Amino acid sequence: MSSSVNNRTHVLVIPYPAQGHMLALLDLTHQLALQNITITILVTPKNLPILTLLVNAHPAIQTLVLPFPSHPSIPAGVENVREVGNSGNYPFIQALGQLCDPIIHWFRSHPNPPVAIISDFFLGWTVHLAHQLNIIRINFYSVGTFLASLNDYCWNHMDSVRSSLGVVEFHNLPRSPVFKQEHLPSVFRRYKESDPVSEFVKDSMIANTSSWGWVCNSFEVLEGEYLDYLRTTIGHDRVFGVGPLNLVGPESTNRGNPSSDSSDDVMKWLDECPVGSVVYVCFGSQKPLQRQQTEALALGLEKSGVPFLWVVKSGMTRQAEDEYGSVLNGFEERVSGRGLVAKGWVPQVSILNHKAVGGFLSHCGWNSVLEGIVGGVMILGWPMEADQFVNAKLLVEDLGIAVRVCEGDDTVPDSEELGRVIAECRNGYGEVKVRAKEMKEKALAAVRNGGSSMTDLDKLVQELRKLQVN
Ligand code: UDP
């Protein structure tokens, strides 16, 4: 990559305040800062600590801290979707849209204003903002490119997609996928005609399509056909696949997560387990299971007979915490020695890279997917909501690096069957495991010098440099 210094290329980065969206954009920002792009990151006050790692690595990065705009559906003091769950996305998108005027004010008084905005795809209103400022907007897709393609299609063909009964056939997309209505991206399904918040979200999503460029947290070997689909559909080549971004961030094992007291215990426990023997079970940062699901999973893990590490999130269960406790009480004793239940937050990236871990029972959130790939472990998918059904289809059907063990937010799996599927992890799934290991190598290759993601990143930087104000 060229190392010529050009401090005049100034970019405004606007992350969307949800863990899964924010960290990947900060990883990208780290790469841009390494290339001497001048950067300002817009955040609201309570999200400022999430930038600590990045700003410590690059003291030159500026922050634009603006108050979180009030919204009737967002409790006062809440500034991150994590605090309210995915149902908070619609009001968050609309609330953040109110930042336009303060941004314009900041821009007009800046001695070296930005030439581009890079913002999350949940912030499509920034296309209009960029127009007003006469600069470009780059659409950052923090999730998969299959999802990006499908999401873009859905919003731009809303009537036909919504009127398909039961299942929707996407003949224009690569491999003509078919999805049940309830498996389409949640952000699309939540739309209600004439509801002002929905209409704002719709306008934002459709505006995304006319962004000057797209940056996707994915890579050519993983989702090349979807990157190409986007290039063809939107009619230009400024679609950059630069992932897995977790490999090129300021610190690839600490993903801006709260430190965990149980980290040492968990890693020591894994050290004692045979290579590739452990199934790691975790459903992301914000997904509580229902009581019956917890029971079925506990029983399935018990019946499977395989070593496992199960992360149970406390403080955000769908029922009183003591009920969770009562499900797990006898269980922990019964499986002691073979299984470990970790309560709270664990260092997922380190776990997935531990040699003892051979399988990952996951909800298929995009960060977990990429981290699982980089760990070289096969995924046992249980998609529940959001983009997860689309991700699971990619992993299971397109790539063959995962199997599906359950499906749906409210589904209670059959514990016998679940136990059998998990048990097979011990000696079965030979080809799936081989392909998962191969995909790891391809992911690592993509972010090496000369790899597809580094090449795309280089192209993006060159494009940004061309935009400098003369
Ligand atoms: N994560 C973690 N420890 C936990 C739970 C989650 O480090 O105990 C991290 C995980 O590594 C990933 C993120 O939280 O980076 C979850 O993101 P994902 O997109 O998989 O799911 P979401 O939480 O957005 O549903």
Side-chain angles (χ1 to χ4, degrees):
M1 205 179 273
S2 155
S3 62
S4 78
V5 176
N6 177 3
N7 284 324
R8 297 181 65 192
T9 303
H10 178 190
V11 173
L12 175 63
V13 173
I14 316 184
Y16 180 74
Q19 163 118 358
H21 290 245
M22 201 157 172
L23 296 179
L25 183 49
L26 298 185
D27 292 337
L28 174 71
T29 307
H30 168 66
Q31 286 297 320
L32 299 180
L34 288 178
Q35 297 305 316
N36 294 308
I37 302 283
T38 299
I39 285 159
T40 301
I41 307 178
L42 190 162
V43 280
T44 63
K46 286 196 170 166
N47 290 308
L48 197 51
I50 304 174
L51 307 188
T52 307
L53 197 65
L54 180 66
V55 174
N56 285 347
H58 303 279
I61 288 181
Q62 300 287 309
T63 51
L64 169 60
V65 184
L66 295 176
F68 191 92
S70 68
H71 191 282
S73 307
I74 304 176
V78 168
E79 296 187 11
N80 195 298
V81 177
R82 176 185 0 98
E83 298 167 82
V84 287
N86 278 343
S87 61
N89 281 323
Y90 267 47
F92 259 73
I93 292 170
Q94 194 190 35
L96 293 166
Q98 294 174 57
L99 292 174
C100 265
D101 286 346
I103 296 172
I104 292 171
H105 180 76
W106 167 81
F107 182 95
R108 302 252 188 255
S109 55
H110 200 288
N112 173 33
V115 290
I117 295 173
I118 303 184
S119 55
D120 190 275
F121 77 108
F122 271 19
L123 305 173
W125 52 266
T126 52
V127 170
H128 306 312
L129 170 67
H131 256 255
Q132 268 184 281
L133 299 175
N134 202 21
I135 62 176
I136 62 153
R137 187 270 180 150
I138 296 175
N139 182 20
F140 178 71
Y141 252 95
S142 43
V143 294
T145 311
F146 184 10
L147 189 280
S149 308
L150 188 86
N151 192 48
D152 189 66
Y153 185 92
C154 286
W155 288 103
N156 283 292
H157 301 84
M158 186 163 233
D159 292 344
S160 68
V161 173
R162 279 162 59 95
S163 63
S164 301
L165 293 177
V167 295
V168 192
E169 298 175 14
F170 293 91
H171 295 298
N172 293 346
L173 264 70
R175 298 171 189 244
S176 305
V178 178
F179 283 97
K180 290 182 187 166
Q181 282 282 359
E182 65 260 35
H183 292 174
L184 295 179
S186 312
V187 69
F188 175 71
R189 295 189 52 233
R190 215 162 257 143
Y191 170 84
K192 285 196 196 79
E193 197 168 352
S194 307
D195 160 53
V197 187
S198 287
E199 294 304 337
F200 185 88
V201 173
K202 178 182 175 187
D203 179 76
S204 257
M205 287 292 179
I206 290 175
N208 274 332
T209 312
S210 57
S211 299
W212 176 91
W214 293 48
V215 175
C216 300
N217 186 13
S218 191
F219 55 102
E220 207 61 44
V221 174
L222 189 70
E223 295 195 290
E225 56 191 332
Y226 300 104
L227 290 164
D228 283 340
Y229 166 83
L230 284 178
R231 290 176 186 125
T232 309
T233 312
I234 58 185
H236 59 75
D237 275 350
R238 294 182 303 271
V239 177
F240 309 94
V242 299
L245 283 165
N246 57 319
L247 282 176
V248 298
E251 156 59 281
S252 60
T253 52
N254 178 352
R255 306 284 297 135
N257 298 331
S259 61
S260 143
D261 296 340
S262 60
S263 294
D264 288 351
D265 294 347
V266 166
M267 299 314 280
K268 272 193 206 124
W269 184 82
L270 286 175
D271 288 344
E272 302 299 316
C273 296
V275 175
S277 66
V278 175
V279 172
Y280 166 63
V281 185
C282 181
F283 301 108
S285 61
Q286 56 192 25
K287 193 67 210 171
L289 293 184
Q290 295 167 11
R291 182 190 169 92
Q292 284 169 320
Q293 293 172 318
T294 310
E295 282 168 349
L297 178 55
L299 212 54
L301 287 168
E302 195 174 343
K303 285 175 196 278
S304 75
V306 301
F308 64 85
L309 167 58
W310 179 13
V311 188
V312 176
K313 295 272 170 275
S314 55
M316 51 177 213
T317 55
R318 289 193 213 173
Q319 61 280 308
E321 227 174 283
D322 54 342
E323 281 190 35
Y324 235 118
S326 70
V327 173
L328 294 176
N329 266 344
F331 169 76
E332 285 188 84
E333 277 87 66
R334 288 198 301 279
V335 296
S336 117
R338 173 167 69 82
L340 186 66
V341 178
K343 294 179 183 124
W345 195 266
V346 298
Q348 174 161 305
V349 173
S350 306
I351 291 169
L352 287 168
N353 284 290
H354 195 287
K355 61 182 181 348
V357 175
F360 179 16
L361 176 46
S362 166
H363 69 322
C364 301
W366 190 244
N367 292 287
S368 293
V369 165
L370 290 179
E371 291 160 10
I373 287 175
V374 170
V377 301
M378 72 164 288
I379 292 174
L380 302 151
W382 179 353
M384 297 181 185
E385 60 174 3
D387 56 336
Q388 298 152 16
F389 299 101
V390 180
N391 300 342
K393 194 178 186 73
L394 174 80
L395 299 174
V396 176
E397 287 157 37
D398 292 15
L399 302 168
I401 57 175
V403 294
R404 219 184 252 102
V405 301
C406 189
E407 199 167 55
D409 203 16
D410 294 320
T411 312
V412 179
D414 173 55
S415 54
E416 283 292 337
E417 176 60 10
L418 189 61
R420 194 194 59 70
V421 178
I422 296 173
E424 216 179 316
C425 240
R426 194 197 295 270
N427 298 315
Y429 305 126
E431 288 181 10
V432 180
K433 286 180 182 167
V434 169
R435 281 193 290 265
K437 294 235 175 302
E438 286 170 357
M439 192 54 85
K440 168 187 177 140
E441 294 312 318
K442 289 170 183 166
L444 297 178
V447 296
R448 271 189 216 118
N449 273 343
S452 64
S453 294
M454 281 298 123
T455 305
D456 271 17
L457 196 54
D458 200 8
K459 283 187 200 155
L460 171 67
V461 170
Q462 284 171 21
E463 292 285 355
L464 289 173
R465 287 215 175 100
K466 283 189 213 157
L467 299 168
Q468 76 173 87
V469 190
N470 289 309

